[in-house]
Amino acid sequence: MKSKICLCFLGLIFISFINVRAQESNTNYDWPLFAYNFGGLNKMTPKDQIEILSKNGYKGISIRGNSREELTDLKLFMNYADQKQNFKVSAVFFRYYGDGSQKIKNGWKTIVDQLEDENIPLWFIFGRPSENITKYKAETLLREVVKYAAQKNVQVILYPHHKDLIQTAEEAYEIVKRIDAPNLNTAFHLYHEIRSGNLDRLDEILTKTKDKLTVVTLAGTDSIVDVTNNISIENST
């Protein structure tokens, strides 16, 4: 019964993932399903998370690297994923809270250290805009992150997220182009673009950003966002 409940929940957040550059000239596209480990999945142990996803056809998991209170021990996830055939840790996402504690704000270094030489990208999200995290400050910090990550052989993806400081692929692209580092790229997330009002510009955005676009994620979304409240936004995209 617990498995059924969890899978219903996962059905709302399953993602199809593609590495754009790797597939540009290949007509046999591979769109593996992976899930973010939140929304209830995070209440299970790392082993159980990977077990239930693997058994139900998922090919990967994107791990939340931090909360406001703590950092994640990634090794547990990586060890269990390595034991599964055709399953991997797809990415680790780190949210930078401008108003958070110094321990958590600086925790990206600990996450990068755990990812050294693992061929797992770091998806970096800047949280809600505030005096503590402006776009100028974000770009300055991102340069530091990218430089440190390069020393550890870690790829960094600037992750656009609706309502956060950097909301769209275009916004992320401009920053990525200015920094111009070989281990820094951006991502296109369909539902965040639709939430940001870009439904009629999807082709244009993909074309504009493609030279720095290494990740595209597709998840179930309506074409019109219900903006009544936060819950309706989540449920409609």
Side-chain angles (χ1 to χ4, degrees):
M1 183 64 180
K2 288 183 179 179
S3 296
K4 292 181 180 179
I5 293 172
C6 186
L7 285 174
C8 289
F9 215 83
L10 285 173
L12 300 176
I13 63 170
F14 79 87
I15 306 291
S16 186
F17 164 93
I18 185 170
N19 183 307
V20 176
R21 290 185 185 169
Q23 300 291 349
E24 276 184 332
S25 61
N26 185 353
T27 55
N28 296 315
Y29 293 108
D30 181 20
W31 294 79
L33 292 179
F34 77 96
Y36 293 94
N37 76 326
F38 53 72
L41 190 61
N42 56 304
K43 295 179 181 179
M44 304 171 69
T45 66
K47 181 179 180 180
D48 287 345
Q49 291 181 45
I50 289 170
E51 284 288 345
I52 195 170
L53 291 176
S54 177
K55 286 180 180 178
N56 288 279
Y58 288 81
K59 299 301 183 182
I61 184 171
S62 181
I63 303 167
R64 184 177 184 178
N66 69 307
S67 65
R68 283 185 173 274
E69 295 79 28
E70 60 184 1
L71 301 172
T72 301
D73 182 354
L74 303 178
K75 293 299 181 183
L76 293 173
F77 288 94
M78 290 189 280
N79 289 340
Y80 287 124
D82 286 344
Q83 297 172 24
K84 293 294 180 183
Q85 188 175 9
N86 299 321
F87 190 92
K88 66 178 182 178
V89 175
S90 303
V92 173
F93 57 101
F94 181 91
R95 177 179 287 275
Y96 184 87
Y97 298 98
D99 59 351
S101 68
Q102 287 300 315
K103 175 186 175 182
I104 298 302
K105 287 197 293 186
N106 295 328
W108 59 265
K109 287 187 177 180
T110 301
I111 299 301
V112 170
D113 287 344
Q114 294 184 73
L115 295 177
E116 183 174 6
D117 293 326
E118 291 288 350
N119 196 28
I120 299 171
L122 173 67
W123 292 359
F124 206 95
I125 307 171
F126 287 99
R128 298 293 193 261
S130 69
E131 292 182 0
N132 295 321
I133 184 63
T134 62
K135 284 191 175 180
Y136 175 79
K137 290 180 178 179
E139 184 171 334
T140 301
L141 174 62
L142 187 59
R143 290 177 184 273
E144 181 183 353
V145 173
V146 170
K147 183 178 180 180
Y148 186 81
Q151 298 170 10
K152 304 289 184 176
N153 194 27
V154 175
Q155 293 290 314
V156 180
I157 307 296
L158 180 55
Y159 186 116
H161 191 285
H162 180 243
K163 285 192 175 182
D164 282 346
L165 185 70
I166 300 165
Q167 299 193 55
T168 68
E170 283 180 302
E171 290 179 80
Y173 177 78
E174 296 301 327
I175 295 173
V176 169
K177 287 288 283 186
R178 282 196 297 272
I179 294 176
D180 192 27
N183 67 319
L184 175 65
N185 291 284
T186 188
F188 175 98
H189 303 292
L190 178 62
Y191 49 103
H192 287 304
E193 296 297 327
I194 290 179
R195 290 180 187 184
S196 298
N198 289 331
L199 174 65
D200 297 327
R201 299 183 57 246
L202 299 179
D203 287 350
E204 176 189 346
I205 293 167
L206 286 166
T207 300
K208 177 180 178 180
T209 62
K210 68 180 182 180
D211 63 310
K212 286 293 184 180
L213 190 65
T214 54
V215 172
V216 172
T217 61
L218 305 178
T221 176
D222 292 342
S223 58
I224 299 175
V225 184
D226 182 350
V227 296
T228 305
N229 52 50
N230 288 337
I231 296 298
S232 65
I233 291 173
E234 291 288 339
N235 287 342
S236 60
T237 51

